[in-house]
Amino acid sequence: MRILMLGWEFPPFISGGLGTACYGLAKALSDLGTEILFVLPRGGADRRVDRVHVLSAADDRGGPVYWTVQGLEHVRLIPVAAALSPYQTEAGYLEQPRGETYAGRVSAEEAVSPAPDLHRPTSLGITSGPSLYAGDLFGEVNRYARLVAEVARRHEFDIIHAHDWMTYPAGLSVAALSGKPLVVHVHSTEFDRSGLHVNQRVYDVERAGLHGARSVICVSRLTRGIVTGRYGIPKSKCRVIYNAITVDGEPVPTSVHRIETSDKIVLFLGRITMQKGPEYFLAAAKKVLEVMDNVKFVMAGSGDMIRRMIELAAAMGVGHRVTFTGFLRGADLDRVFKMADLYVMPSVSEPFGLAPLEALQHDVPVLISKQSGVSEVLTHALKVDFWDIHEMANKIVAVLRHPPLQKTLREHGAFEVRKFSWADAGHACMAVYKDAAEGRK
Amino acid sequence: MASVCFYFQVHQPFRLRRYSVFDSDTNYFDDYKNAELCRKVASRCYLPANRLMLDLVRRYGKDFALSYSITGVALEQFERWAPEVVDSFRALVDTGQVELLAETFYHSLAFLYSREEFREQVMAHSAKMTDVFGVRPKVFRNTELIYNNDLAHFVEGLGFTGITAEGADHILGYRSPAFVYRPVGTDGIRLLLKNYRLSDDIAFRFSDRSWPEWPLRAETFAEWVDQVNGNGYVVNLFMDYETFGEHQWADSGIFDFMEHLPEHILADGKNDFLTLSAAAAAYEPAAELDIPHMVSWADVERDLSAWLGNAMQSNALHELYRMEGDVKAAGNAELLDDWRRLQTSDHFYYMCTKWFADGDVHKYFNPYESPYDSYINFMNVLDNLRSRLKG
């Protein structure tokens, strides 16, 4: 089976969970012998991920350039010049200085990390330059669609698999041109990202993609509920395939020295945006500090609400107990997990949520919101409604006060996390492809 | 002659209310829910089942007999919220064909932690039975059929003539639960072992449609009982009373099964029904039985792992029993009662993480969403109780 896969990030060009999920799924499918051509927009926020090495290889026919990734035998990446930045809102996109889109926006964080170690090939022979820049996010989405159509004309494939809304128009146009079935994969919806204040244009794009697809893969029952309820997709067209976590046999580095402190550490890790519920974390922190004083709350991540959260912490009088670290990765990420006594994910709406699984891999017990996909399948975790800050604080205190609770959660959690296997997800995905190829829903 | 010895366990814990670390009052128990469950189980099980048993006693007279063990905490709840249940048990006991067994008042694991506390609870339970029903128990059953040699020895010292234990294969080896035994290191006390196959046919498999024997008829079951003849004397059918109407719903036919069982058991005059103390007196011990390790009737393991299988459970139990001296020294009856109600084994069963991910019988009986939630709740209550000691 040959898959034309459309995503907007792939390691090492990554800033969030989508790239990690695409990598895990692509690897599992590759291991099953599935040929994947992954069309990757270049020019978004590029971040390096360790342990993934990209090898570039020019096509000997003088055609497009492919990148191959070590360990992913049957996966070829094709970079195209479009600037789709994950987790981007239209407003956020417009805030970017003009003329600084795909040609390489460089944030402060990226400046410190070395550029990917590869000689940059020219993408598809399309010259990069501001002249082609369409000027807004939807322009880029359409641009990506045109470029993907170009790629599709030159390649053979059986199924189109599109990840999240920015690639739906591309998926639809290729499906229309080629007559091949489209499978869309919902990692997140506009309702997760924006609550009830949805961007109508984004919603319309999502809706068109979901209705135009032969099958819809949802990352949880929670997401399937949104897809059926908010977008009017019949349940029979949806399949739930949970995300997983890469267990590569390598132990999580433990040599990182623990920061010596008598303080207990409670960790928030994720984008500091409405969707992730940072204000509920702070409200719970305040309640915890009413009954315990040796606790520090660490908020690791960046996002559009960070300034408001810093101000809120100060206004609530807990500023001295809350630390904002900014975006962490690599060794810093390992270190912050090493320090943490508890990881809290208070998300308001989390389609899946990989971070709790990563925390468990690092032997950190987790408290997760019931409004998350991962809570449907993870049993050895504390769970709470995101709005119930009283219960959230109650559970945080319990973990910090009672070592046997922490121990039991950790031991069972570290074991349970191994059941989340990409190989299983890969098999489930193949079944969806097969049905789609044979014209079944 | 094969003697069928029914013993039904009647127990309801005082379930805790949701008690957070920010709570500071001393109302630990969920009266509303406890009352509701008490009335629900009374109407589905205790009342109709007692009515049936009373009918059977009246119909068969001396030929039909059975035993119950009613925990002190269950009885207290009946007295408060379903007094008609107490009356119906009293009517059964008054026939003389129904025996009451002894156990710890609070359905506790006290034997594992404090012999003194254990003794006090057994005495309190016997006193309560005598007070409410006018008869003093002679046979002892420990919480969840937890048993070992030491228990038999200790209980004999308290004056009991019989004791019960689980009769699972890996405990008995080649021996059969169809005989009466003498525990190692005891003089006169008799040991009665649960026939787990036949007990579980009724308690667990009765309504299981994938079971080859479904639907189980009273005639068939009576034949199985009769097969004991030649290989032993007793068929000890020990199970939760809630089997009738609660675990096996009424529409499964469980009540009809019970109603017709005596006529088939008694049909050819070869077999009979006995209370536990009558069975212990009727048959000489076949052998001495050595059970040095703790066994129970729970799960496939038949050990203590349902209550002591993880760090949370052992921590909660240790913290609880560590307070014994201080609680008793405080001389506060209410505090003592609260502390003892926390000893009920159900609180620790809810914390069990065995099979939690698979979801099974533990989940069915569990009022909490997870074992972690139950531990957190319990420890919050315990912290408050401890603070009362200082005050």
Side-chain angles (χ1 to χ4, degrees):
Chain A
M1 185 101 46
R2 293 157 304 177
I3 311 300
L4 179 69
M5 197 174 272
L6 315 175
W8 70 45
E9 59 173 16
F10 198 87
F13 313 108
I14 187 173
S15 69
L18 183 68
T20 314
C22 286
Y23 176 85
L25 189 62
K27 178 160 187 342
L29 289 168
S30 170
D31 291 346
L32 291 173
T34 313
E35 297 288 338
I36 295 174
L37 190 65
F38 195 106
V39 188
L40 180 70
R42 284 286 291 111
D46 300 347
R47 291 192 171 106
R48 215 51 217 290
V49 164
D50 299 339
R51 284 188 273 168
V52 176
H53 305 286
V54 173
L55 310 167
S56 68
D59 187 284
D60 48 12
R61 287 167 301 178
V65 168
Y66 302 106
W67 295 344
T68 54
V69 181
Q70 218 168 48
L72 274 64
E73 204 186 327
H74 302 289
V75 178
R76 287 180 301 168
L77 300 179
I78 289 199
V80 297
L84 299 185
S85 179
Y87 314 114
Q88 187 70 282
T89 59
E90 192 190 13
Y93 197 88
L94 292 172
E95 279 166 19
Q96 301 291 343
R98 288 194 68 82
E100 221 192 74
T101 47
Y102 86 88
R105 269 182 288 113
V106 178
S107 72
E109 281 156 350
E110 286 144 18
V112 289
S113 80
D117 186 18
L118 43 90
H119 46 99
R120 294 186 172 220
T122 345
S123 309
L124 254 183
I126 296 165
T127 50
S128 57
S131 57
L132 287 175
Y133 164 57
D136 72 320
L137 182 55
F138 291 94
E140 289 294 315
V141 166
N142 290 331
R143 219 168 100 81
Y144 175 74
R146 284 201 309 278
L147 295 172
V148 169
E150 188 70 16
V151 170
R153 280 203 303 124
R154 303 181 186 201
H155 294 86
E156 294 285 323
F157 52 88
D158 307 303
I159 300 276
I160 311 149
H161 185 157
H163 296 276
D164 268 8
W165 76 274
M166 286 192 228
T167 68
Y168 292 173
L172 286 172
S173 61
V174 174
L177 286 170
S178 66
K180 302 293 184 190
L182 170 66
V183 173
V184 301
H185 200 138
V186 188
H187 297 265
S188 155
T189 68
E190 181 63 8
F191 292 93
D192 299 306
R193 295 181 296 265
S194 310
L196 292 175
H197 308 287
V198 296
N199 180 321
Q200 187 63 38
R201 288 179 74 188
V202 174
Y203 174 82
D204 290 344
V205 170
E206 288 183 327
R207 188 181 169 89
L210 291 165
H211 279 273
R214 177 88 43 94
S215 304
V216 177
I217 297 174
C218 305
V219 292
S220 62
R221 294 198 301 271
L222 179 81
T223 301
R224 186 181 64 189
I226 295 172
V227 165
T228 54
R230 301 274 193 187
Y231 295 84
I233 304 297
K235 201 171 168 183
S236 60
K237 191 168 146 181
C238 304
R239 298 285 176 81
V240 173
I241 299 180
Y242 291 104
N243 284 338
I245 191 157
T246 308
V247 183
D248 50 13
E250 281 179 46
V252 171
T254 49
S255 58
V256 190
H257 44 266
R258 199 190 152 82
I259 292 179
E260 286 304 323
T261 166
S262 58
D263 281 342
K264 301 278 189 182
I265 304 232
V266 180
L267 176 65
F268 173 102
L269 181 97
R271 284 172 295 114
I272 302 184
T273 60
M274 185 285 294
Q275 185 190 350
K276 303 292 179 181
E279 67 271 45
Y280 299 100
F281 181 76
L282 285 178
K286 183 175 165 54
K287 287 205 73 84
V288 169
L289 292 166
E290 285 171 14
V291 292
M292 286 184 86
D293 48 14
N294 58 333
V295 191
K296 266 238 182 325
F297 294 84
V298 174
M299 297 191 80
S302 52
D304 57 11
M305 279 174 73
I306 192 160
R307 179 180 286 276
R308 265 172 60 200
M309 288 305 108
I310 294 170
E311 287 167 3
L312 182 62
M316 291 195 306
V318 297
H320 61 299
R321 285 276 154 199
V322 183
T323 306
F324 292 85
T325 67
F327 186 88
L328 298 179
R329 79 181 77 100
D332 287 339
L333 198 60
D334 287 334
R335 194 170 297 131
V336 80
F337 272 134
K338 201 75 200 146
M339 288 163 54
D341 293 282
L342 176 68
Y343 166 78
V344 181
M345 183 180 78
S347 296
V348 171
S349 182
E350 188 70 63
F352 186 74
L354 270 176
L357 301 185
E358 287 169 0
L360 288 174
Q361 265 195 332
H362 285 82
D363 272 345
V364 180
V366 299
L367 168 55
I368 58 180
S369 97
K370 290 180 185 172
Q371 287 69 32
S372 68
V374 70
S375 80
E376 294 169 12
V377 277
L378 188 63
T379 51
H380 292 286
L382 299 177
K383 297 174 190 176
V384 66
D385 288 305
F386 74 86
W387 44 262
D388 193 351
I389 53 154
H390 183 85
E391 183 60 14
M392 203 185 294
N394 181 41
K395 287 186 161 141
I396 292 171
V397 170
V399 171
L400 302 182
R401 273 198 187 157
H402 303 298
L405 176 60
Q406 208 178 357
K407 180 173 183 288
T408 313
L409 278 167
R410 222 175 22 221
E411 286 175 359
H412 285 93
F415 188 76
E416 187 181 20
V417 77
R418 296 183 217 159
K419 86 177 180 197
F420 295 87
S421 127
W422 278 118
D424 293 346
H427 281 290
C429 212
M430 285 302 290
V432 173
Y433 293 159
K434 217 160 266 159
D435 287 354
E438 289 164 15
R440 287 197 301 265
K441 275 181 183 172
Chain B
M1 178 70 82
S3 300
V4 175
C5 305
F6 268 117
Y7 133 57
F8 298 115
Q9 180 63 34
V10 180
H11 171 56
Q12 291 295 328
F14 278 101
R15 294 164 197 85
L16 295 168
R17 74 173 181 89
R18 291 305 152 100
Y19 196 88
S20 102
V21 71
F22 304 104
D23 285 313
S24 56
D25 59 82
T26 60
N27 303 314
Y28 305 141
F29 303 97
D30 193 338
D31 282 352
Y32 178 81
K33 198 197 247 152
N34 287 324
E36 189 191 326
L37 278 170
C38 200
R39 291 195 197 102
K40 191 191 90 174
V41 183
S43 71
R44 277 204 209 162
C45 164
Y46 303 139
L47 292 172
N50 281 0
R51 207 176 303 131
L52 171 63
M53 299 302 174
L54 192 62
D55 279 352
L56 292 174
V57 171
R58 287 187 179 142
R59 200 181 309 168
Y60 296 99
K62 296 279 177 219
D63 292 334
F64 185 69
L66 70 164
S67 309
Y68 291 96
S69 193
I70 308 171
T71 66
V73 282
L75 196 53
E76 283 185 341
Q77 295 189 65
F78 297 150
E79 286 172 336
R80 275 173 77 179
W81 297 310
E84 63 278 24
V85 174
V86 184
D87 295 337
S88 66
F89 275 118
R90 199 179 281 125
L92 278 168
V93 176
D94 287 347
T95 64
Q97 293 300 103
V98 174
E99 176 173 37
L100 294 177
L101 308 188
E103 64 173 309
T104 56
F105 192 99
Y106 295 89
H107 197 266
S108 72
L109 304 172
F111 185 74
L112 306 175
Y113 290 88
S114 163
R115 298 290 155 93
E116 179 51 28
E117 175 63 15
F118 174 74
R119 196 188 60 78
E120 288 173 28
Q121 286 191 22
V122 175
M123 293 297 112
H125 181 264
S126 284
K128 179 85 180 174
M129 292 300 123
T130 313
D131 181 39
V132 175
F133 299 107
V135 278
R136 199 164 180 87
K138 289 179 276 196
V139 173
F140 181 80
R141 75 70 80 168
N142 197 19
T143 306
E144 306 287 357
L145 246 52
I146 291 170
Y147 176 90
N148 74 355
N149 295 336
D150 288 351
L151 177 76
H153 180 74
F154 192 86
V155 164
E156 181 173 43
L158 297 178
F160 293 101
T161 59
I163 187 166
T164 57
E166 168 63 39
D169 298 339
H170 72 273
I171 299 164
L172 287 179
Y174 66 90
R175 295 183 188 84
S176 158
F179 293 96
V180 174
Y181 291 90
R182 179 163 43 80
V184 154
T186 59
D187 298 322
I189 195 167
R190 304 276 168 89
L191 176 59
L192 295 163
L193 298 165
K194 176 183 150 194
N195 185 318
Y196 78 92
R197 277 201 194 88
L198 291 175
S199 299
D200 292 353
D201 284 341
I202 300 175
F204 295 122
R205 288 182 280 273
F206 187 80
S207 59
D208 178 1
R209 289 174 182 239
S210 64
W211 183 37
E213 304 296 341
W214 184 89
L216 179 61
R217 298 166 60 82
E219 295 96 303
T220 316
F221 194 81
E223 281 167 27
W224 295 345
V225 165
D226 191 54
Q227 283 165 11
V228 168
N229 277 306
N231 304 306
Y233 306 107
V234 288
V235 177
N236 294 324
L237 303 176
F238 300 172
M239 66 196 75
D240 288 339
Y241 203 27
E242 294 81 16
T243 298
F244 295 94
E246 185 69 15
H247 302 170
Q248 311 293 344
W249 289 10
D251 62 11
S252 72
I254 189 79
F255 288 99
D256 300 328
F257 171 83
M258 188 65 212
E259 188 185 343
H260 291 101
L261 190 60
E263 78 187 60
H264 294 289
I265 297 279
L266 300 169
D268 50 11
K270 281 199 293 182
N271 307 314
D272 63 358
F273 289 91
L274 291 179
T275 61
L276 264 52
S277 63
Y283 301 105
E284 280 303 309
E288 191 176 67
L289 203 59
D290 183 13
I291 305 182
H293 303 295
M294 287 291 178
V295 296
S296 78
W297 73 1
D299 301 345
V300 284
E301 293 90 347
R302 302 293 208 282
D303 59 11
L304 301 182
S305 59
W307 309 276
L308 267 166
N310 65 40
M312 299 188 296
Q313 294 171 305
S314 70
N315 173 251
L317 277 160
H318 274 106
E319 291 295 318
L320 178 68
Y321 282 101
R322 224 156 54 118
M323 295 162 63
E324 180 181 356
D326 293 338
V327 168
K328 289 180 177 169
N332 174 341
E334 234 173 80
L335 179 70
L336 183 63
D337 192 44
D338 283 345
W339 177 70
R340 284 180 161 161
R341 283 182 185 185
L342 293 181
Q343 292 182 39
T344 300
S345 68
D346 303 62
H347 299 308
F348 311 99
Y349 191 77
Y350 302 147
M351 299 175 196
C352 180
T353 45
K354 252 192 327 179
W355 314 122
F356 167 54
D358 309 334
D360 72 339
V361 67
H362 286 261
K363 214 173 217 169
Y364 175 76
F365 294 110
N366 198 330
Y368 295 94
E369 276 174 41
S370 90
Y372 304 105
D373 289 9
S374 91
Y375 172 79
I376 292 170
N377 209 51
F378 185 87
M379 295 307 278
N380 285 338
V381 170
L382 200 60
D383 283 347
N384 184 275
L385 194 85
R386 193 183 291 112
S387 72
R388 287 160 72 190
L389 288 172
K390 293 165 197 150

